[in-house]
Amino acid sequence: MRSKTQTWLRMLFWHTVPIVDLVAACRVFVQVGERGSFTLGAEAVRVPQSVASRRVAALEEHFGERLFDRSTRRAALTAFGRDMLPSAKRLVQLAEALEYHAEQAKLRPFGLAVPETCSVRHLAMLDAAARDEDTVLDFRTAGPAERTELLRSREVRAALVAVPPEGADWTVPLGVASPTDSGRGPLHLETLRPGRAQRAFRRIWIQPEDDVPHIRDRLEQTGHRVALVPAQVAVAASLTAAVAATMHTDDFLLCSAAQAHDLGLYWRRLAGTPVARGYHVSAVAGDDAERVQAGLWTQVARALGAPTDAKERA
């Protein structure tokens, strides 16, 4: 035997009154019925009394029965109204529970795998911007290969994946940085070529974030063309190790201008064929990718150190 609430839920799908209107009308019906006054009931649901009256009238028309006896000064329930009040309360409670769970679902952390090169400050700004869009980000900092694996295993909902600049959503130009101001113009790699009798040479350290084919191989090939010693382009075990080697010697760190600034280093462009990081947002669900790519594009660009306007990209 069906309960009254089940019968009401069935009516929601088979009758013409929209579910939102029916719930709003039931809210008024419950408050007026419990208080015995349209004035007090309207105040409880924060609508004008005229609106409350129209909603109850629409509900009565929907059911084809009177809920209140209009012959008295008080809003007295009819026999039909008394029968329907408990079911209306349950429906309102179910609607409120649904709204609550919807709000909680929107606040469920959105796992996003990001490069280890992103600064805390810019990640915090990205998180704040996402909260304005009712999204709580849960950052997982990781290297290029690990970010792809985190997404594959669905430990995160989206990841900023390293890709060649040609197919990227965000592009980060790379140059070289050092502890001393060694010049303002672009660095020509051939100027690092060691002399015949020169044993020591200056290296360019590649940090783990840039240990990907479209960056590492391109830089190694350029170094080979200008006759650098193979060891002059080296991959560091960690960003810390790369920065330490740069500070301890006269070597260079391959990085973005924003990263050099954060590390307190002097940055120069590389002359010739440009080298750049590329990032594409990949997600388990397409709408998650769209949320990051479109809704948070500028904040993500800043976190990556990518140009955010035409002047910076030039």
Side-chain angles (χ1 to χ4, degrees), residues 3-26:
S3 68
K4 289 181 180 178
T5 302
Q6 288 174 318
T7 302
W8 273 47
L9 290 173
R10 187 168 177 239
M11 289 165 60
L12 295 180
F13 292 97
W14 291 102
H15 284 66
T16 57
V17 177
I19 185 171
V20 176
D21 292 348
L22 186 57
V23 171
C26 284

Side-chain angles (χ1 to χ4, degrees), residues 2-256:
R2 292 190 182 92
S3 68
K4 289 181 180 178
T5 302
Q6 288 174 318
T7 302
W8 273 47
L9 290 173
R10 187 168 177 239
M11 289 165 60
L12 295 180
F13 292 97
W14 291 102
H15 284 66
T16 57
V17 177
I19 185 171
V20 176
D21 292 348
L22 186 57
V23 171
C26 284
R27 282 196 173 103
V28 174
F29 168 44
V30 169
Q31 294 300 328
V32 173
E34 290 184 337
R35 287 165 172 75
S37 166
F38 273 89
T39 301
L40 296 178
E43 289 178 356
V45 294
R46 298 180 180 179
V47 298
Q49 184 175 337
S50 59
V51 173
S53 297
R54 285 198 299 271
R55 288 182 181 176
V56 170
L59 197 58
E60 290 175 329
E61 182 180 355
H62 177 63
F63 292 136
E65 291 284 348
R66 288 284 187 181
L67 296 169
F68 295 98
D69 185 354
R70 286 349 190 244
S71 65
T72 63
R73 297 185 65 181
R74 284 177 53 82
L77 287 164
T78 62
F80 178 75
R82 287 193 296 272
D83 286 343
M84 300 306 294
L85 187 61
S87 294
K89 285 182 181 179
R90 287 194 290 273
L91 182 60
V92 170
Q93 290 168 353
L94 285 171
E96 290 174 348
L98 180 62
E99 290 173 353
Y100 173 79
H101 287 304
E103 289 300 320
Q104 293 302 303
K106 287 192 293 185
L107 294 176
R108 182 167 60 89
F110 183 113
L112 178 63
V114 300
E116 296 171 324
T117 54
C118 296
S119 70
V120 172
R121 176 173 175 269
H122 285 106
L123 287 180
M125 292 171 65
L126 172 57
D127 188 25
R131 287 173 187 267
D132 288 339
E133 302 296 327
D134 295 324
T135 300
V136 178
L137 294 177
D138 178 19
F139 297 113
R140 294 285 298 273
T141 57
E146 187 182 354
R147 292 199 300 277
T148 301
E149 178 58 26
L150 286 170
L151 182 64
R152 189 198 65 78
S153 62
R154 299 202 171 191
E155 293 182 56
V156 295
R157 288 169 60 179
L160 299 178
V161 179
V163 296
E166 297 78 26
D169 297 320
W170 298 272
T171 302
V172 185
L174 297 178
V176 291
S178 61
T180 58
D181 189 357
S182 55
R184 295 294 183 182
L187 175 68
H188 294 264
L189 289 185
E190 57 267 26
T191 62
L192 303 182
R193 187 188 308 140
R196 290 182 177 277
Q198 188 177 355
R199 293 186 177 182
F201 48 76
R202 302 178 74 179
R203 288 184 173 88
I204 295 178
W205 288 100
I206 298 175
Q207 55 187 292
E209 179 60 29
D210 300 321
D211 187 16
V212 290
H214 60 272
I215 295 177
R216 180 195 61 240
D217 294 354
R218 192 166 193 169
L219 191 61
E220 288 178 345
Q221 290 165 6
T222 302
H224 178 73
R225 283 199 300 270
V226 299
L228 296 186
V229 175
Q232 284 187 265
V233 178
V235 178
S238 67
L239 174 59
T240 301
V243 175
T246 301
M247 291 181 170
H248 180 68
T249 64
D250 203 22
D251 292 345
F252 291 101
L253 171 69
L254 183 71
C255 65
S256 67

